[in-house]
Amino acid sequence: DEVVLSVAKFGQNKRDIPPQIVSVSSEDILFANPQTSADLLESTGQVYIQKSQLGGGSPLIRGFSTNRLLITVDGVRFNTAIFRGGNVQNIISIDPFAVSNTEVVLGPGSVVYGSDAVGGVMNFYTKKPKFSFVEGNSFSGNATLRYATANKEKTGHFDFNIGAKEWAFL
């Protein structure tokens, strides 16, 4: 029930926040096994994805797209209001398996985020490196491979974490 807004930078209960927020956890991402981050957003049931080509995906929230929707990655703007009208497929360049959780703020977030957030805000939070809490370094990793015959999709993702007491790398 906790949500983190990239503007506030601290956790808040969903019932204390006026806009409707859809959260997707890392467990939901692994269960959905999305091909792209556009497919991840579509699995929420609140974001419509227009696919004009195979593997593409342009998000639409409440009829708004492109320069009326804001996409952030770890609180940093991924798109700007200077994008042209119509649909832009830039959401597919975010690796869904490198994301720890996603939040979609439905409705106008322009008061907090600016004029390019009239339709909504899609916040992606990437995985964070983990420190070692034992003597010496710790090492862990994840691997995902998938092949689909319907569209001849070949998806691969690998990440590893090296952690010490004072530094960590992912």
Side-chain angles (χ1 to χ4, degrees):
D1 292 329
E2 192 171 89
V3 66
V4 178
L5 291 175
S6 60
V7 173
K9 301 283 188 196
F10 59 90
Q12 294 177 299
N13 288 326
K14 277 189 177 181
R15 60 181 149 75
D16 297 336
I17 299 172
Q20 181 183 1
I21 297 176
V22 177
S23 299
V24 182
S25 67
S26 59
E27 292 82 17
D28 296 334
I29 295 170
L30 288 175
F31 182 75
N33 198 14
Q35 182 178 355
T36 65
S37 55
D39 294 333
L40 171 66
L41 291 174
E42 187 175 37
S43 70
T44 65
Q46 298 291 327
V47 180
Y48 174 75
I49 301 296
Q50 188 239 354
K51 293 191 173 190
S52 56
Q53 78 270 5
L54 187 63
S58 180
L60 286 99
I61 299 176
R62 299 180 178 181
F64 293 100
S65 65
T66 313
N67 59 354
R68 296 293 179 228
L69 295 178
L70 179 62
I71 303 166
T72 67
V73 178
D74 291 332
V76 178
R77 288 174 177 269
F78 193 70
N79 62 340
T80 64
I82 61 170
F83 274 135
R84 63 175 174 78
N87 295 314
V88 176
Q89 313 289 329
N90 63 346
I91 192 88
I92 62 173
S93 60
I94 300 171
D95 181 5
F97 297 109
V99 173
S100 66
N101 67 316
T102 301
E103 295 171 353
V104 180
V105 180
L106 302 170
S110 55
V111 172
V112 177
Y113 294 94
S115 64
D116 53 343
V118 172
V121 181
M122 294 162 280
N123 296 315
F124 292 89
Y125 299 97
T126 57
K127 293 181 179 179
K128 305 289 182 230
K130 297 175 184 155
F131 293 96
S132 174
F133 295 107
V134 296
E135 192 63 39
N137 296 337
S138 65
F139 180 82
S140 62
N142 296 304
T144 304
L145 295 172
R146 182 177 61 206
Y147 175 75
T149 57
N151 59 359
K152 297 185 181 179
E153 172 207 355
K154 299 171 198 81
T155 299
H157 172 86
F158 175 75
D159 63 61
F160 63 93
N161 186 84
I162 301 173
K165 286 193 177 220
E166 296 182 9
W167 62 268
F169 172 82
L170 176 67

